[in-house]
Amino acid sequence: MKFAYLPKPKDEPIAHLEAQGHTHVSLDDNPDLVVFGGGPKDFPDELSESVKVVQIQYAGIEALLEAGILAKHAANGVRFANAGGLYDDTVAESALALLLAVEHRIKAVSPEWNNTQLFKEKEYLFDGKKLALIGAGGIGTTLIRFLEPFGMDITAVNRSGNPVDGADRTSALTDDVWADHDYFVLLTPLTEETRHMVNAETIGKMQDSAVIVNVGRGPLVDTPALTQALRDGSLRGAGLDVTEPEPLPADHELWGLDNCVITPHVANIPRFMERRIGGLAAKNWELFEAGEKMSTEVDIDAGY
């Protein structure tokens, strides 16, 4: 198989693919597969007829979908795979870090040695808490394993109804889920159904002690509604690795709220992408060649 790496070649994944017997070529040299790690502006206007598969380096492909790129090339027979499941451990650990930072009130710590304030406000994950994983796929399963020492009651929320390893129960997303849990970790793909799933209405169903952690997609959360709830105490806190808009403007109110911990979309980082994407591309190519569905093949109509 001949492969191209766009927009900027990376040594580690190229070396991995070459070690599997594949050949790195330029886009002009009729590759069979393209590994792509850029945004919509980086994607070529045209692909040669030789390209059968595009392996995207990220799990999230909404920007490419919204730009019409996937549909355009899929109409010419190109199949797309994302990196879903490749970063379960890194994103799960980052979600746990955000949850701990919010509950331990790390952002509220001040040079005034405000331990009296923290005595009142700090919480612990082990203290009879209930957590809902909204979108309980691979990241959720890994996070459940990471949370096991805390003894939390965990509800896995998915559309299939299939049991999730380690969860106490599996549920659809109902009003009772919003009302009965202390923590909500958002992991679901972004679709028209999930856009702004956390909004003024759903926040109104939550306990005022609830904490939201978003390591999925920024637009899963209605930012003005979240900001208002954190400001007026309708929510205890939020941990955000993704935001809408992104990046969040430097003067946005969320930066100044001590019950909101924000990281700049670093739940997974480039060196882990580069370390792992070559192996996934090779696996997906093998499946493609065997006439099978790729392990992370994108359903363009579903949006993920």
Side-chain angles (χ1 to χ4, degrees), residues 42-289:
D42 303 309
F43 204 93
D45 290 334
E46 301 296 333
L47 294 173
S48 69
E49 293 182 2
S50 66
V51 176
K52 303 297 189 297
V53 172
V54 175
Q55 172 66 64
I56 301 166
Q57 188 168 287
Y58 315 112
I61 43 82
E62 294 83 13
L64 298 175
L65 273 171
E66 292 172 3
I69 290 169
L70 301 195
K72 172 184 174 180
H73 295 288
N76 295 324
V78 178
R79 289 163 61 180
F80 290 85
N82 66 9
L86 198 61
Y87 314 119
D88 292 349
D89 48 5
T90 53
V91 178
E93 182 172 328
S94 296
L96 177 56
L98 284 168
L99 185 55
L100 285 166
V102 172
E103 284 296 71
H104 287 239
R105 300 289 280 132
I106 298 301
K107 193 174 176 183
V109 174
S110 75
E112 285 72 31
W113 203 256
N114 58 330
N115 57 0
T116 301
Q117 175 192 350
L118 298 184
F119 291 160
K120 296 177 182 178
E121 298 178 3
K122 183 173 179 176
E123 291 286 344
Y124 293 90
L125 302 190
F126 73 84
D127 193 23
K129 299 298 174 57
K130 298 176 69 175
L131 181 145
L133 294 170
I134 312 297
I139 297 170
T141 302
T142 302
L143 182 57
I144 289 171
R145 179 163 53 85
F146 290 175
L147 290 170
E148 185 176 353
F150 298 99
M152 264 191 270
D153 182 286
I154 296 177
T155 299
V157 177
N158 60 25
R159 295 192 305 172
S160 68
N162 294 330
V164 175
D165 288 346
D168 293 281
R169 70 194 60 80
T170 302
S171 172
L173 186 55
T174 64
D175 287 351
D176 286 343
V177 170
W178 293 122
D180 292 344
H181 291 80
D182 303 288
Y183 306 135
F184 301 92
V185 179
L186 307 183
L187 300 166
T188 187
L190 177 64
T191 67
E192 286 310 306
E193 291 181 355
T194 62
R195 185 180 296 273
H196 289 180
M197 65 191 311
V198 173
N199 53 46
E201 180 181 358
T202 52
I203 290 172
K205 298 171 183 176
M206 299 177 193
Q207 306 169 52
D208 59 13
S209 58
V211 171
I212 293 167
V213 171
N214 189 7
V215 290
R217 306 288 177 263
L220 297 175
V221 175
D222 180 334
T223 300
L226 177 70
T227 305
Q228 178 64 37
L230 292 172
R231 183 196 309 124
D232 66 22
S234 302
L235 285 177
R236 170 174 165 79
L240 309 174
D241 184 60
V242 287
T243 60
E244 183 188 42
E246 189 173 304
L248 196 67
D251 60 353
H252 197 282
E253 184 178 356
L254 283 177
W255 289 113
L257 297 178
D258 67 12
N259 57 351
C260 184
V261 178
I262 303 170
T263 53
H265 205 149
V266 292
N268 187 53
I269 57 177
R271 72 171 180 273
F272 277 88
M273 297 180 189
E274 293 167 19
R275 181 182 303 174
R276 298 173 175 182
I277 194 63
L280 179 61
K283 176 183 177 182
N284 276 332
W285 180 256
E286 289 177 7
L287 291 169
F288 172 81
E289 283 280 84

